[in-house]
Amino acid sequence: MADVAALAGVSGQTVSRVVNDSPRVDPGTRARVEAAMAQLGYRPHRAARALRTGRTQTIGLLVSTLATVGNSRMLQAVADAAATRGYALTVVTLGAHPDVPAAFERLSEQGVDGVVVLNEATAAARETPAPSGLSLVVVDAPPEAEGARRFGIVQSDHAGGARAATTHLLELGYRTVHHLGGPATSFAAAERERGWLEALADAGAPVPPVVRGDWTAASGHAAAARLLEDEATAVFAANDQLALGAIRAFADAGREVPGDVSIVGFDDIADAADYRPPLTTVRQHFDRLGELAVAALIAGIEDGATGSDIVPTTLQVRESTARAR
């Protein structure tokens, strides 16, 4: 650091501020210091800095499973956002038999400064105090949950997206909209179901019974048998995989999409536009969710701040929906 300071013609404290991304350095000085660092091959020593500051600049990610598309996309978004801010990432999955206290302990032992908790893991994490000094941000948790002020909250507007999807189908002339829902234990699934119910209530439409899957296409295919029995003509599925499975079940039964049945998904996964037909769906903005989750966690690490953010969703209208016959 002293060599960098001498080459750049600044103090060692200024070099330290540049290394730690302090805003108290003017752009010209910062560029000169960064050029000197590049010329000399200087790299901050993470372990040494951790000993001096008490922070490792490593954050943890706690997740039930990475097998779902939403969770894997959130992992990528959080990893990208952490890297942009100079943080490393450590991931712990809970698996089939979640032990949140043990997971927190593992992350704490690895020296993380804070933890982002994803989706289905949030319900268990809410009930488990994090180790002392460990900041926490949960993705998808009710803001009114008891003890919510202990941590930051970031979530998609699941209910708003579901309302938009259901309203879209009703405006196409369907008498009602059936719902192919996610697991009853999922906060995101419950919020999407709430939005569906609100849209039906606003329109004075009948409320069909909810048919549930487990987020997979296979479960959507199996659950669609009930939708066929109920002669559903408009379906809002809680995610794109459920919608994909239902579309195959309708095809197996000789029901065309959208000729006989219109269907809307949720997430707007990378392949949604390449389904047959291209899927009308609600887009979650995973990159923005990851950015906000990491920003909220770093604010908690540095200032002890907690708060909540809701990221809007966007309806993407494609060819899986059409006017009712």
Side-chain angles (χ1 to χ4, degrees):
M1 190 176 283
D3 292 340
V4 171
L7 180 60
V10 299
S11 68
Q13 186 177 36
T14 297
V15 176
S16 178
R17 286 173 177 163
V18 171
V19 168
N20 290 288
D21 202 25
S22 169
R24 298 169 58 193
V25 183
D26 70 77
T29 301
R30 181 182 299 278
R32 198 162 68 250
V33 171
E34 288 174 346
M37 290 167 62
Q39 181 176 333
L40 294 173
Y42 173 81
R43 296 289 185 275
H45 192 287
R46 188 179 296 273
R49 182 161 56 188
L51 288 172
R52 179 173 56 83
T53 65
R55 295 177 184 165
T56 62
Q57 283 199 280
T58 300
I59 61 176
L61 183 78
L62 181 62
V63 60
S64 293
T65 176
L66 291 172
T68 65
V69 173
N71 283 353
S72 63
R73 289 188 67 180
M74 275 301 301
L75 167 61
Q76 185 66 58
V78 170
D80 289 345
T84 297
R85 289 174 170 264
Y87 277 73
L89 184 68
T90 295
V91 179
V92 170
T93 56
L94 291 175
H97 305 288
D99 185 343
V100 175
F104 278 148
E105 192 61 35
R106 284 173 61 193
L107 288 166
S108 185
E109 288 172 354
Q110 293 180 56
V112 301
D113 298 326
V115 180
V116 175
V117 185
L118 288 193
N119 304 339
E120 275 66 38
T122 61
R126 275 203 314 271
E127 311 302 326
T128 306
S132 177
L134 195 65
S135 294
L136 200 65
V137 167
V138 297
V139 178
D140 287 342
E144 68 276 9
E146 183 179 354
R149 282 171 293 183
R150 293 183 295 117
F151 45 74
I153 295 172
V154 176
Q155 68 181 76
S156 282
D157 185 8
H158 301 285
R163 281 195 300 272
T166 307
T167 299
H168 167 67
L169 289 165
L170 292 170
E171 289 177 344
L172 289 173
Y174 294 96
R175 177 172 170 268
T176 191
V177 176
H178 287 68
H179 184 40
L180 178 49
T185 56
S186 165
F187 169 76
E191 284 292 282
R192 294 170 196 180
E193 184 176 333
R194 178 170 69 86
W196 165 73
L197 286 169
E198 289 175 353
L200 293 182
D202 289 345
V207 180
V210 176
V211 180
R212 296 197 182 281
D214 63 5
W215 298 129
T216 65
S219 72
H221 183 271
R226 176 67 182 276
L227 297 172
L228 287 164
E229 289 175 5
D230 292 343
E231 298 184 346
T233 55
V235 177
F236 165 52
N239 79 342
D240 291 347
Q241 281 76 27
L242 290 170
L244 176 61
I247 289 171
R248 184 167 73 88
F250 294 144
D252 291 345
R255 304 283 300 280
E256 293 183 357
V257 175
D260 299 309
V261 184
S262 282
I263 187 165
V264 180
F266 203 108
D267 285 338
D268 194 24
I269 64 172
D271 297 330
D274 294 314
Y275 284 4
R276 188 173 184 179
L279 183 65
T280 296
T281 185
V282 178
R283 176 176 295 172
Q284 285 201 80
H285 298 279
F286 290 103
D287 290 348
R288 182 62 176 155
L289 285 167
E291 290 169 3
L292 287 174
V294 171
L297 186 61
I298 292 173
I301 292 167
E302 295 180 349
D303 306 317
T306 60
S308 62
D309 284 291
I310 298 179
V311 179
T313 51
T314 309
L315 180 65
Q316 304 294 310
V317 178
R318 300 193 180 103
E319 297 170 30
S320 67
T321 55
R323 293 206 64 82
R325 289 180 173 176

